[in-house]
Amino acid sequence: MPRDDSGLESLEQWMYSVISHPQGAEAGVEANSKPGSEAAYDLEQTVLPSEKLTPLERISVYADMYFWRFIDIMSEEYPTVEHLLGVERFAQVVRDYITRHPSTYYNLNRLSVKFPQYLRNEADEIPHQPFVVAVATVERLMEDVFDAPHKEKISTEAIQNVPGEQWPEICLEFNPALYLLELDYPVNAYMTAVNEDRHMDAPKAQKSFVVVYRCNYRVWRDDLEYESYLLLAQLKEGKSLGEALENCALQEGVDMDKITTNLGEWFQQWTAQEFFCGLKTGS
Amino acid sequence: MSVENRWGFPDLGLGIGLRTVHFNHILEQWPQIDWFEIMSENFMETDGNPVRVLDQIAERYPIVMHGVSMSIGSTDPIDFDYLSKLKTLAKRVNAHWLGDHVCWTGVHGRNGHDLYPLPYNEESLKFLVDRIRTVQDFMERPLILENPSTYLTFANSTMAEEEFLARMAEESDCGLLLDVNNVYVTCRNHGLDAQAYLEAMPYDRVVQIHLAGHTDRGTHCIDTHDGRVIDPVWDLYAEVHRRAGNRATLLEWDANIPSFDEVHAEVMKAAKFRDMTELRHAS
């Protein structure tokens, strides 16, 4: 394995520390030029000036791009969080996030994995914090669903061919690109409003149930009724349809008539939406 | 004059960087373009729509893989997990060749996801050559490495970038991707002579050419890939063609991306500099 014996490692460490300093390159140079720093270099003796730029201006080109790149990417991943916080506040929150949780993986799709958790635990000062956390959770899940493993959907025929008497025993295998969420805010309605450029105030707390899934290689996000959410959640846990219905009936506030009336239609819809990729009988 | 590259990699003609905003156009029109280059990392660790589209495109067009995360110049350990995934993708799309940049992207486990410069001296050359050899052995193919756009010069550099690249290629037996826009940007930023740069290139190792637009800030240029190729860069392309003959040529357009037809029209400008008789089109 090649080893660096040339001082290259400390030079790289110095440059990285300078350009990733949260207060900018000048502060980074200052912090990393003191004797005792892990990799102390004198800027003027390390970077040459060009005809038009000083060493500080030259290394600042990299420093300026460091946070800009992360803000740009996370702005695409979290458009609703950015809308809620405003562009400047969002950029500052991302800078703080990256400073505390720098990217450690080669692929940028993991960059913001900890962002919802960060907003919950380390960003107390942001407005509407619990709602922002809920929105961030959904927006992150949409990224995960986009990249999730692909499994062929189950055909409508396969569903239709199940004999009626076997249905209580049926267990369904779910699309790996599907997540069910119970949220304390009407996140989907708000995200849709923002997406459609409609004004909506940050909502008050109100339970909502959301499914985020991939169908025909596109990521979708739908509100669910409490009953359909409950049933899907039971089925996703691996319960047979019979067990799932029994468990639903035990829950407070569940309208079982709604479930029995809509069951056939729901299954047709869910199958068309590629919720399932296999089934088996529990017996 | 025409100098073959030493591995016999084909002149694929004129290609475009594959970008998601053009997916629908490509799948609907199957446009007349010779080949596509993919940014490798965009198709790794995902099983979503990009991979499905890529599979279809790879059935009809030659594919070349160009990455941004190998970090070949980093003093961190080589990421063999990343390389394994790269290898798998190369097999999946039957990549003609794969490459990355002469740079480092992070150190001590942190990743800035940018292309950071190396000092051009004997010590870093030896280190880099050893790394390239190790990676090439693992990948079982030559790497095709690109000259980066750089914005600073390290005081401990002892040789010009072009000399460093030529020696790196020779001593590691790797190929070169000559980005003529980067030659322009780097030479502008460092007050260097682009013609002298091109004269020093070992053209038997140049497998591919990149073209792109950049942003001129007056005091320095930034490699932004956000616009058309400027005339002085076309002049450099003509000079490379005069020295090397036809080489697989690709236009990068990564920000403010216009329609596919507009990007296509831009790369087709390269045709007037090439010997057109052997130009092939995928269908």
Side-chain angles (χ1 to χ4, degrees), chain B residues 39-207:
Chain B
M39 194 174 286
S40 311
E41 292 79 8
N42 289 350
F43 301 91
M44 294 161 69
E45 298 192 37
T46 178
D47 210 3
N49 192 48
V51 174
R52 179 190 68 107
V53 173
L54 177 60
D55 283 344
Q56 295 174 70
I57 290 172
E59 283 179 9
R60 291 171 171 82
Y61 300 90
I63 299 290
V64 164
M65 285 168 54
H66 186 59
V68 291
S69 297
M70 191 176 284
S71 202
I72 194 73
S74 171
T75 48
D76 275 1
I78 292 169
D79 185 346
F80 287 100
D81 179 51
Y82 165 78
L83 294 180
S84 294
K85 289 169 182 160
L86 207 56
K87 213 171 177 177
T88 301
L89 181 63
K91 196 173 175 185
R92 178 172 184 155
V93 301
N94 193 23
H96 279 257
W97 58 84
L98 59 86
D100 206 290
H101 301 79
V102 180
C103 71
W104 55 283
T105 64
V107 68
H108 286 194
R110 297 186 173 191
N111 201 324
H113 302 277
D114 199 352
L115 313 176
Y116 301 129
L118 287 157
Y120 297 135
N121 56 39
E122 294 294 339
E123 291 77 16
S124 56
L125 178 64
K126 181 180 181 315
F127 174 75
L128 189 62
V129 164
D130 287 348
R131 294 260 293 192
I132 294 169
R133 283 186 181 147
T134 302
V135 172
Q136 289 182 147
D137 286 348
F138 182 82
M139 300 301 288
E140 302 174 290
R141 56 165 82 201
L143 289 178
I144 311 301
L145 294 174
E146 176 182 338
N147 56 301
S149 280
T150 57
Y151 310 106
L152 63 75
T153 310
F154 286 112
N156 64 345
S157 287
T158 56
M159 64 183 97
E161 178 173 295
E162 60 269 29
E163 181 191 349
F164 184 88
L165 293 178
R167 286 188 56 192
M168 174 200 80
E170 182 65 30
E171 292 172 29
S172 67
D173 199 21
C174 75
L176 292 172
L177 191 172
L178 183 58
D179 186 319
V180 289
N181 179 60
N182 288 352
V183 171
Y184 179 87
V185 167
T186 293
C187 288
R188 272 283 306 275
N189 289 344
H190 304 306
L192 303 173
D193 177 1
Q195 291 294 334
Y197 191 113
L198 294 185
E199 193 172 339
M201 284 295 104
Y203 287 98
D204 63 328
R205 293 188 176 278
V206 174
V207 173

Side-chain angles (χ1 to χ4, degrees), chain B residues 208-222:
Chain B
Q208 183 187 339
I209 311 288
H210 266 176
L211 294 162
H214 62 260
T215 300
D216 190 336
R217 299 212 172 144
T219 53
H220 61 290
C221 294
I222 306 272

Side-chain angles (χ1 to χ4, degrees), chain A residues 12 58 103 105-106 147 150, chain B residues 45-47 52 73 113 190:
Chain A
E12 289 181 348
R58 299 188 91 187
S103 179
Y105 197 60
Y106 77 87
D147 291 324
H150 173 74
Chain B
E45 298 192 37
T46 178
D47 210 3
R52 179 190 68 107
H113 302 277
H190 304 306

Side-chain angles (χ1 to χ4, degrees), chain B residues 19-31:
Chain B
R19 302 295 179 257
T20 53
V21 291
H22 295 148
F23 280 0
N24 287 343
H25 178 90
I26 295 166
L27 295 182
E28 287 164 10
Q29 306 289 326
W30 298 117

